[in-house]
Amino acid sequence: MPHPPLAANRLLGYPDDARLLLVNADDFGMYPGVNAAVARGFAEGIVRSASLMMPCPGAAEAVRLLAERPEVRAGVHL
């Protein structure tokens, strides 16, 4: 039996039968090095969202980086 169409594909603007790879940068804010890698991933277009780690040594920097890129979707680990 075929799988039903994925509503998520349509919401993202892709055909129902498209196979998508959604890349989320986990641990954003953990350390400055992690922040640099996540920022590079956003700049190069591979990373589409992030999970911000609060409170961690690089959290304040990560928040500043997110403020500079309001198009980036981010969730928060508390």
Side-chain angles (χ1 to χ4, degrees):
M1 175 187 303
H3 294 291
L6 299 175
N9 283 16
R10 270 184 254 124
L11 290 171
L12 294 170
Y14 294 94
D16 290 342
D17 62 347
R19 293 185 181 255
L20 306 177
L21 173 65
L22 305 176
V23 179
N24 179 70
D26 200 15
D27 297 341
F28 192 35
M30 182 72 76
Y31 296 106
V34 172
N35 292 347
V38 172
R40 182 175 175 185
F42 280 125
E44 293 182 5
I46 186 66
V47 175
R48 302 296 300 231
S49 64
S51 299
L52 180 62
M53 294 291 289
M54 297 294 285
C56 287
E61 176 188 33
V63 169
R64 282 192 301 276
L65 290 168
L66 287 170
E68 294 172 3
R69 298 194 65 146
E71 74 280 4
V72 171
R73 292 175 173 88
V76 179
H77 285 234
L78 298 175

